[in-house]
Amino acid sequence: AVPPRSLSEREMGWARIAWKYFESNVQPTTGMVNSVDGYPSSTMWDTASYLMALIAVERLAIISLEDFDARLSAILRTLAGIPLFEESLPNKSYDTVSGNMTDYNNQPTQGGIGWSAIDIGRLLVPFNIVVWNYPEHTREVQAVLRRWRLERMVRDGLLFGAAINEKQETVLLQEGRIGYEEYAAKSLGLMGWDVSGALKVEDFLEWVDVYGLQVPYDRRDPEIYHAHNYVVSEPYMLDGMEFGWDEVSRVLAYLVYAAQEERYRHTNILTAVSEDHIDQPPYFVYNSVFTNGKIWNCITEKGEDASRFKSISTKAVLGWYALYQTPYTEQLLEHVSSLFDPEKGWYSGEYEASGQPNKAITCNTNAIILESLCYKRFGSMLRIK
């Protein structure tokens, strides 16, 4: 990673465009943010993304400290009162207008659909930043966490999510694959939880040859474990921008990045891949370096082939640019530099096959763009300022 450096006027303009998303998608009733433009639903991952965006714009002086305090207090108050799955942990999805639990189609559900340990782990990152850097909000964070029974999702050093099976029973499932698993565990480790198993990369580490590079992936077979082993940019970028990589994640992240640059060298196809919303059915795909036995595989959450939606990911471009600023990331940046609606925020990317923009406009894309620019200016976000 390169040391912090100043932002150009153009980059500050990009940050302001990303912030437009949040100005128009915060719900006044709850302070929560829509995960997709105009769609009143959110996960804890997207809630975390909004909080990271909020911290970024305060640091970049795009909003005042008073505005920051008001927005942060509003969402923390809501999180302290939302209904919880089995009265223990946040549900996987919520209606952003009412704050009530929903399923993934934003339909109300009385009991909820389970929790995601990975999403909750991400949310604990901004909570940690807030407590250390904005201590006047510590009590509001404590009011949220006091209700959560984190011991239900951390067992034997591993992270567990919850789901409802066909018999309507709650089942706990080990959650996370290499990349995401270590990233989500780090914030829990900071808070004193034993996540030693989740942090042990070597237990399931395997390597796949991509243009002569050995790229890390998780050898747990999706057919057996019922979870896909996507190798995507996002967890590696977030680990670098938020925590500052450790000695292991620094190497793994570089290999994931370098494979994408190599694909461009070999095919002349600009490559920066991650999971993204798309602007047409199936609406969400995983563009991966490797998953389910194939390199450059693009699949849906159900594992169905989605190759026709292979894309450059805008957030992946900005993240790798902030972390490395190589000639290749600068070339990528120029390519995506106009992929936005100046009033609504940044598009998720560009389709490889057609060269047309993927006009999905989302919380996560715009938040990671803000994080990337904040990281470029100040360095890793979890350090005490």
Side-chain angles (χ1 to χ4, degrees), residues 191-209:
M191 297 169 69
W193 292 95
D194 172 14
V195 285
S196 51
L199 289 170
K200 271 172 72 179
V201 174
E202 60 274 17
D203 280 359
F204 301 105
L205 181 62
E206 201 57 73
W207 305 93
V208 60
D209 188 287

Side-chain angles (χ1 to χ4, degrees), residues 26-27 29-33 44 47-48 50-52 54-55 68-82 123-131 134-148:
V26 172
Q27 297 289 357
T29 48
T30 59
M32 296 176 88
V33 170
M44 288 300 106
T47 301
Y50 169 49
L51 291 175
M52 294 303 290
L54 195 53
I55 291 161
F68 170 84
D69 286 335
R71 287 172 177 274
L72 181 58
S73 290
I75 191 163
L76 289 175
R77 272 197 305 274
T78 292
L79 290 173
I82 54 172
L123 185 54
L124 295 175
V125 175
F127 281 6
N128 271 287
I129 295 172
V130 167
V131 166
Y134 307 94
E136 59 276 21
H137 293 279
T138 297
R139 287 196 171 176
E140 292 166 317
V141 172
Q142 287 172 327
V144 178
L145 292 175
R146 201 172 288 127
R147 300 173 61 221
W148 293 5

Side-chain angles (χ1 to χ4, degrees), residues 85 91-93 101-105 107 109-115 162-165:
F85 179 77
N91 188 49
K92 287 178 179 175
S93 185
M101 293 191 285
T102 62
D103 62 19
Y104 278 138
N105 296 316
Q107 296 304 304
T109 160
Q110 196 62 43
I113 57 171
W115 72 74
I164 304 287
N165 67 13

Side-chain angles (χ1 to χ4, degrees), residues 83-267:
L84 301 175
F85 179 77
E86 295 181 350
E87 297 189 355
S88 57
L89 287 164
N91 188 49
K92 287 178 179 175
S93 185
Y94 287 87
D95 184 288
T96 54
V97 177
S98 66
N100 289 330
M101 293 191 285
T102 62
D103 62 19
Y104 278 138
N105 296 316
N106 209 36
Q107 296 304 304
T109 160
Q110 196 62 43
I113 57 171
W115 72 74
S116 165
I118 300 295
D119 288 14
I120 293 167
R122 170 145 173 75
L123 185 54
L124 295 175
V125 175
F127 281 6
N128 271 287
I129 295 172
V130 167
V131 166
W132 285 103
N133 292 282
Y134 307 94
E136 59 276 21
H137 293 279
T138 297
R139 287 196 171 176
E140 292 166 317
V141 172
Q142 287 172 327
V144 178
L145 292 175
R146 201 172 288 127
R147 300 173 61 221
W148 293 5
R149 292 180 53 203
L150 290 169
E151 70 276 5
R152 290 198 68 188
M153 67 175 234
V154 185
R155 294 189 177 186
D156 304 321
L158 297 171
L159 305 183
F160 286 84
I164 304 287
N165 67 13
E166 297 79 27
K167 299 177 184 171
Q168 296 303 299
E169 300 163 331
T170 300
V171 288
L172 296 185
L173 304 157
Q174 181 276 326
E175 195 177 332
R177 293 295 173 263
I178 285 173
Y180 279 110
E181 188 173 5
E182 292 76 24
Y183 165 70
K186 281 187 174 180
S187 57
L188 285 148
L190 287 176
M191 297 169 69
W193 292 95
D194 172 14
V195 285
S196 51
L199 289 170
K200 271 172 72 179
V201 174
E202 60 274 17
D203 280 359
F204 301 105
L205 181 62
E206 201 57 73
W207 305 93
V208 60
D209 188 287
V210 182
Y211 300 118
L213 286 169
Q214 296 303 300
V215 175
Y217 76 93
D218 194 304
R219 69 165 169 264
R220 282 170 279 194
D221 187 337
E223 292 292 316
I224 298 168
Y225 289 92
H226 308 295
H228 302 292
N229 55 354
Y230 320 103
V231 178
V232 292
S233 297
E234 190 156 328
Y236 295 102
M237 297 189 317
L238 294 179
D239 190 347
M241 293 192 294
E242 293 170 8
F243 294 98
W245 290 309
D246 57 49
E247 288 307 308
V248 175
S249 62
R250 183 188 316 280
V251 174
L252 301 187
Y254 183 74
L255 290 166
V256 170
Y257 159 76
Q260 298 174 65
E261 184 171 335
E262 282 302 306
R263 181 172 183 246
Y264 170 67
R265 287 180 199 226
H266 283 77
T267 63

Side-chain angles (χ1 to χ4, degrees), residues 13-26:
W14 291 343
R16 290 188 184 95
I17 290 165
W19 182 241
K20 289 271 188 187
Y21 178 86
F22 299 96
E23 289 182 320
S24 55
N25 278 282
V26 172

Side-chain angles (χ1 to χ4, degrees), residues 298-317:
C298 180
I299 61 173
T300 67
E301 292 184 274
K302 292 179 181 169
E304 296 151 348
D305 178 69
S307 326
R308 64 190 183 282
F309 302 118
K310 280 188 179 176
S311 316
I312 296 178
S313 170
T314 313
K315 66 187 177 188
V317 170

Side-chain angles (χ1 to χ4, degrees), residues 37-53:
D37 187 43
Y39 184 63
S41 171
S42 186
T43 63
M44 288 300 106
W45 183 280
D46 290 309
T47 301
S49 291
Y50 169 49
L51 291 175
M52 294 303 290

